[in-house]
Amino acid sequence: MKDEQMKDELYWQSVIYAREVIYQQQTEELMQFIAEAENPAKGVGQVVSDLVNSIVEDGIQKGVRFTRPTIQKLFQTLISDVAELAAIQKVIQVSSQKEVDRLVNEALIRATEDYAMKVKEKQQGNPAVRDAQENEATFKARNANPEGRMQEPTPRGLLQQ
Amino acid sequence: MGLLDGFSNGLSDFGDYVGDAFDSGVDYVSDFDFGSFTQPVTDFAERAFDTFVYDTDNGLDPFFSLGGDASGSIWQDGYDAIADMFSDESAESGGGNGPESDSGVSPQDGVKEVEVISIKPEEINEADNAKNFVQSLPKEEGDRLDYRLNKGFGLMKKNKFTPEEMQKWINETLDDNGYDQDTDYTPEDPIKQSQSLAEVSSKIKPITKSDQMDYQDQYFKAKLDGIEAERNMGLIDRAKRDIMGSSGEMLVGGLGAWYKANQAEKTAEEKKRENELNRQNYIKQAYISKSGTATGKRGGFA
């Protein structure tokens, strides 16, 4: 399968999965979350961020790689779906196209911010990532002080080979 | 079997919902378009993503932060921009999104409002980016032209205009605004030209309503020319919009002039994708219809 086709299929399968959650499995929970959110755009953004995050995590566990364009396309599609459903169910009140435009655009930034924070938290809590960061810091320190390179301890694991 | 087992498992079930939607009738009608993401906001989200999250296009691992403080003030900048973009003041000055709006131009001490432009309904899809671009213009007239020139240039680059096309557009824009490129300006590399547009714009006479409309016409013409080239690459998304209509609702009675005119040229793969899009939309409608959201009742799927 070509790369573009794979991305396209991944996108649509993600949309199908997310719509099952939005319209069938957790409709009431999601709408309640939005109703209780600090503001509607933040609620919609967080719901979509959670959805996309779970989809991407699931994909990574299965060896599937999402690209940034795919994730952002998912954000936009799902924000449209969730915001529209919330409006139909009167969870959020919109009376003009201008209000709708403002809502979905703010929700896009809210979702991006929430997702970025999730990634940061995940990274900070991931031992493998911490090790990688330590290794990177060590590498930089070595380059900054070439004379000290011989004094560096042998990297972990090297002696076991 | 698809890429994600969990996702694929539900596919066959959805077919039933599509049939149910036809049987029960889809009575859901959306009054608004919930898919109106403006170019400045999507650009902002794109930059923020590349700054704080990751970019697998460049070979980095998912969840590998590119550095930067994800809790920084950049987000507030984004919210402020949205507040400006959709401010009440804009609404009172004729702002809005419908094609029924007038130009919104009202002379006032040489400062013109350009919040809304007249777009025929059939042009909305074609000129989506252009509409967003025009609506994103800042209020201050002094900044407007500079912003417009540079933003227009950026959009053309993004839409893969050739250097010659960009050159032509820039030259025409300068000419139309009273700038003599032959004596005051030496056409060089379009990128260099764009960098000097800020200087140029400071010399340009105050824009009139006529200039303004001419510029918009010119921009749309350039944009539509670009769309011609874009069509081959963007058939899928464009077909989706045509199928769904600007309100996001399925156009049951027909698929639109553009879709019909171009259908014969589409490949089997594109038709397959259109069918999938068509099916997807019915799935969505079926969910809403079946769950009773249109009537306020909740049913759900057994």
Coordinates of all heavy atoms in Angstrom, one line a residue, chain A residues 60-100:
Chain A
I60 N 0.2 3.7 18.1 CA 1.6 3.5 18.4 C 1.9 2.1 18.9 O 2.9 1.4 18.6 CB 2.1 4.6 19.3 CG1 2.2 5.9 18.6 CG2 3.5 4.2 19.9 CD1 2.5 7.1 19.5
Q61 N 1.0 1.7 19.8 CA 1.1 0.3 20.4 C 1.0 -0.7 19.3 O 1.6 -1.8 19.4 CB 0.1 0.1 21.4 CG 0.3 0.8 22.7 CD -0.8 0.7 23.7 OE1 -1.7 -0.1 23.5 NE2 -0.7 1.4 24.8
K62 N 0.3 -0.4 18.2 CA 0.2 -1.4 17.1 C 1.2 -1.1 16.0 O 1.1 -1.7 15.0 CB -1.2 -1.3 16.5 CG -2.3 -1.8 17.5 CD -3.7 -1.7 16.8 CE -4.7 -2.4 17.7 NZ -5.0 -1.7 18.9
G63 N 2.1 -0.2 16.3 CA 3.2 0.0 15.3 C 2.8 1.0 14.2 O 3.4 1.0 13.2
V64 N 1.7 1.7 14.4 CA 1.2 2.6 13.4 C 1.7 4.0 13.7 O 1.7 4.5 14.9 CB -0.3 2.6 13.3 CG1 -0.8 3.6 12.3 CG2 -0.8 1.2 12.9
R65 N 2.2 4.7 12.7 CA 2.8 6.0 12.9 C 1.8 7.1 12.3 O 1.5 7.0 11.2 CB 4.1 6.1 12.2 CG 4.9 7.2 12.7 CD 6.3 7.0 12.2 NE 7.3 7.8 13.0 CZ 8.6 7.8 12.8 NH1 9.1 7.0 11.9 NH2 9.4 8.5 13.5
F66 N 1.4 8.0 13.2 CA 0.6 9.1 12.7 C 1.5 10.3 12.4 O 2.4 10.6 13.2 CB -0.4 9.5 13.8 CG -1.5 8.6 14.0 CD1 -1.4 7.4 14.7 CD2 -2.8 9.0 13.5 CE1 -2.5 6.6 14.9 CE2 -3.9 8.1 13.7 CZ -3.7 7.0 14.4
T67 N 1.2 11.0 11.3 CA 1.9 12.2 11.0 C 1.2 13.4 11.5 O 0.0 13.3 11.8 CB 2.1 12.4 9.5 OG1 0.9 12.5 8.9 CG2 2.9 11.2 8.9
R68 N 1.9 14.5 11.7 CA 1.2 15.7 12.1 C 0.0 16.1 11.3 O -1.0 16.4 11.8 CB 2.3 16.8 12.2 CG 1.7 18.1 12.9 CD 1.5 19.2 12.0 NE 2.7 19.7 11.4 CZ 2.8 20.1 10.1 NH1 1.7 20.1 9.4 NH2 3.9 20.6 9.7
P69 N 0.1 16.1 9.9 CA -1.0 16.5 9.2 C -2.2 15.6 9.4 O -3.4 16.1 9.5 CB -0.6 16.3 7.7 CG 0.9 16.6 7.8 CD 1.3 15.9 9.1
T70 N -2.0 14.3 9.6 CA -3.1 13.4 9.9 C -3.8 13.7 11.2 O -5.0 13.8 11.3 CB -2.6 11.9 9.9 OG1 -2.0 11.6 8.7 CG2 -3.8 11.0 10.2
I71 N -2.9 14.0 12.2 CA -3.5 14.3 13.6 C -4.3 15.7 13.5 O -5.4 15.8 14.1 CB -2.4 14.4 14.6 CG1 -1.8 13.0 14.8 CG2 -2.9 15.0 15.9 CD1 -0.6 13.0 15.8
Q72 N -3.7 16.6 12.8 CA -4.4 17.9 12.7 C -5.7 17.8 11.9 O -6.7 18.5 12.2 CB -3.5 19.0 12.2 CG -2.4 19.3 13.2 CD -1.7 20.6 13.0 OE1 -1.1 20.8 11.9 NE2 -1.8 21.5 13.9
K73 N -5.7 17.0 10.9 CA -6.9 16.8 10.1 C -8.0 16.1 11.0 O -9.2 16.4 11.0 CB -6.6 15.9 8.9 CG -7.7 15.9 7.8 CD -7.1 15.1 6.6 CE -8.2 14.9 5.6 NZ -7.8 14.0 4.6
L74 N -7.5 15.2 11.9 CA -8.4 14.5 12.8 C -9.0 15.6 13.8 O -10.2 15.6 14.1 CB -7.7 13.5 13.6 CG -7.6 12.1 13.0 CD1 -6.7 11.2 13.9 CD2 -9.0 11.5 12.9
F75 N -8.1 16.4 14.3 CA -8.6 17.5 15.2 C -9.8 18.2 14.6 O -10.8 18.4 15.2 CB -7.5 18.5 15.5 CG -6.6 18.1 16.6 CD1 -5.3 18.5 16.7 CD2 -7.1 17.4 17.7 CE1 -4.4 18.2 17.7 CE2 -6.3 17.0 18.8 CZ -4.9 17.4 18.8
Q76 N -9.6 18.7 13.3 CA -10.6 19.5 12.7 C -11.9 18.8 12.5 O -13.0 19.3 12.7 CB -10.1 20.1 11.4 CG -8.9 21.1 11.6 CD -8.5 21.8 10.3 OE1 -9.3 21.8 9.3 NE2 -7.3 22.2 10.2
T77 N -11.8 17.6 12.0 CA -13.0 16.8 11.7 C -13.7 16.5 13.0 O -15.0 16.7 13.0 CB -12.6 15.4 11.0 OG1 -11.9 15.7 9.8 CG2 -13.8 14.6 10.7
L78 N -13.0 16.1 14.0 CA -13.7 15.7 15.2 C -14.2 16.9 16.0 O -15.3 16.8 16.6 CB -12.8 14.9 16.1 CG -12.3 13.6 15.5 CD1 -11.4 12.8 16.4 CD2 -13.5 12.7 15.0
I79 N -13.5 18.0 15.9 CA -14.1 19.3 16.5 C -15.4 19.6 15.9 O -16.3 20.0 16.5 CB -13.0 20.4 16.4 CG1 -11.9 20.2 17.5 CG2 -13.7 21.8 16.7 CD1 -10.7 21.1 17.3
S80 N -15.4 19.5 14.6 CA -16.7 19.8 13.9 C -17.8 18.9 14.3 O -18.9 19.4 14.6 CB -16.5 19.6 12.3 OG -15.6 20.5 11.8
D81 N -17.5 17.6 14.4 CA -18.5 16.7 14.8 C -19.0 16.9 16.2 O -20.2 17.0 16.5 CB -17.9 15.2 14.7 CG -17.7 14.8 13.3 OD1 -18.3 15.4 12.4 OD2 -17.1 13.7 13.1
V82 N -18.0 17.1 17.2 CA -18.4 17.2 18.6 C -19.1 18.5 18.8 O -20.2 18.6 19.5 CB -17.1 17.1 19.5 CG1 -17.5 17.5 20.9 CG2 -16.5 15.7 19.4
A83 N -18.6 19.6 18.2 CA -19.3 20.9 18.4 C -20.7 20.9 17.8 O -21.6 21.4 18.4 CB -18.4 22.0 17.8
E84 N -20.8 20.3 16.7 CA -22.2 20.3 16.0 C -23.2 19.4 16.9 O -24.3 19.9 17.1 CB -22.0 19.6 14.7 CG -23.3 19.8 13.8 CD -23.0 19.3 12.4 OE1 -22.0 18.6 12.1 OE2 -23.8 19.7 11.5
L85 N -22.7 18.3 17.4 CA -23.5 17.5 18.2 C -23.9 18.2 19.5 O -25.1 18.2 19.9 CB -22.8 16.2 18.6 CG -23.6 15.2 19.3 CD1 -24.9 14.7 18.6 CD2 -22.8 13.9 19.7
A86 N -23.0 18.9 20.1 CA -23.2 19.7 21.3 C -24.3 20.8 21.1 O -25.1 21.0 21.9 CB -21.9 20.2 21.9
A87 N -24.2 21.4 19.9 CA -25.1 22.4 19.6 C -26.5 21.9 19.4 O -27.5 22.4 19.8 CB -24.6 23.2 18.3
I88 N -26.6 20.7 18.7 CA -27.9 20.1 18.4 C -28.5 19.7 19.7 O -29.7 19.8 19.9 CB -27.7 18.9 17.5 CG1 -27.3 19.3 16.1 CG2 -29.0 18.1 17.4 CD1 -26.7 18.2 15.3
Q89 N -27.7 19.2 20.6 CA -28.3 18.8 21.9 C -28.4 19.9 22.9 O -28.7 19.7 24.1 CB -27.3 17.7 22.5 CG -27.3 16.4 21.7 CD -27.0 15.2 22.5 OE1 -26.7 15.3 23.7 NE2 -27.2 14.0 21.9
K90 N -28.2 21.1 22.5 CA -28.3 22.3 23.3 C -27.4 22.3 24.5 O -27.7 23.0 25.5 CB -29.8 22.4 23.8 CG -30.9 22.3 22.7 CD -30.8 23.5 21.7 CE -31.9 23.4 20.7 NZ -31.7 24.3 19.6
V91 N -26.3 21.6 24.4 CA -25.3 21.7 25.4 C -24.5 23.0 25.4 O -24.1 23.6 26.4 CB -24.3 20.5 25.3 CG1 -23.2 20.6 26.3 CG2 -25.1 19.2 25.6
I92 N -24.4 23.4 24.1 CA -23.8 24.8 23.9 C -24.8 25.6 23.1 O -25.5 25.0 22.3 CB -22.4 24.7 23.2 CG1 -22.5 24.0 21.9 CG2 -21.4 24.0 24.1 CD1 -21.2 23.9 21.2
Q93 N -24.7 26.9 23.3 CA -25.7 27.7 22.6 C -24.9 28.5 21.5 O -24.0 29.2 21.8 CB -26.3 28.7 23.6 CG -27.0 28.0 24.7 CD -28.3 27.2 24.3 OE1 -28.9 27.6 23.3 NE2 -28.6 26.2 25.0
V94 N -25.4 28.4 20.3 CA -24.8 29.2 19.2 C -26.0 29.8 18.4 O -27.0 29.1 18.2 CB -23.9 28.4 18.3 CG1 -22.6 28.1 19.0 CG2 -24.6 27.2 17.8
S95 N -25.9 31.1 18.1 CA -27.0 31.7 17.4 C -26.6 32.4 16.1 O -27.4 33.0 15.4 CB -27.6 32.8 18.3 OG -26.7 33.7 18.7
S96 N -25.3 32.3 15.8 CA -24.9 32.8 14.5 C -23.7 32.1 14.0 O -23.0 31.4 14.8 CB -24.5 34.3 14.7 OG -23.3 34.4 15.5
Q97 N -23.4 32.2 12.7 CA -22.3 31.5 12.1 C -21.0 32.1 12.7 O -20.0 31.4 12.9 CB -22.3 31.7 10.6 CG -21.1 31.0 9.9 CD -21.2 29.5 10.0 OE1 -22.3 28.9 9.8 NE2 -20.1 28.9 10.4
K98 N -21.0 33.3 13.1 CA -19.8 33.9 13.7 C -19.5 33.3 15.0 O -18.3 33.0 15.3 CB -20.1 35.4 13.9 CG -18.8 36.2 14.2 CD -19.2 37.7 14.4 CE -17.9 38.5 14.5 NZ -17.3 38.8 13.3
E99 N -20.5 33.0 15.8 CA -20.2 32.3 17.1 C -19.7 30.9 16.8 O -18.8 30.4 17.6 CB -21.5 32.3 17.9 CG -22.0 33.6 18.5 CD -23.2 33.5 19.3 OE1 -23.7 32.4 19.5 OE2 -23.8 34.6 19.7
V100 N -20.2 30.3 15.8 CA -19.8 28.9 15.5 C -18.3 29.0 15.1 O -17.5 28.2 15.5 CB -20.6 28.3 14.4 CG1 -20.0 27.0 13.9 CG2 -22.1 28.1 14.9

